[in-house]
Amino acid sequence: AMCGRNCLAVRVKRSSRRAIDRMRSIIADPEGKTGPGFLAHVLVSEYCDHLTLHRQSGIYAREGVDLERSTLADWVGRC
């Protein structure tokens, strides 16, 4: 079955919404630093799960988190 643009909207549970809000706060603090857990997640996604930084950036964008691929690449390069 084909699906139009209108059916792409997804309802998010309250618990998921809280997790997304927490993720936004973990990604970058006021100084622009990230936590070790989030960096580990990005690295495992990149190298173990073979999820490119471009795709990771798209995943975060769908959740309302603006995180450019170049930013992710800078973080990965520093590790």
Side-chain angles (χ1 to χ4, degrees), residues 15-29 33-35 38 41-42 56-57 59-67 75:
S15 60
S16 297
R17 206 172 283 284
R18 276 185 256 137
I20 291 168
D21 290 340
R22 175 142 169 71
M23 182 177 68
R24 286 183 184 143
S25 67
I26 290 171
I27 289 174
D29 64 11
K33 296 180 181 177
T34 58
F38 181 71
H41 174 74
V42 170
Q56 289 185 54
S57 178
I59 291 168
Y60 295 124
R62 276 198 312 270
E63 299 297 337
V65 178
D66 186 26
L67 194 57
W75 292 342

Side-chain angles (χ1 to χ4, degrees), residues 32-48:
K33 296 180 181 177
T34 58
F38 181 71
L39 290 174
H41 174 74
V42 170
L43 291 168
V44 168
S45 296
E46 170 76 9
Y47 295 108
C48 296

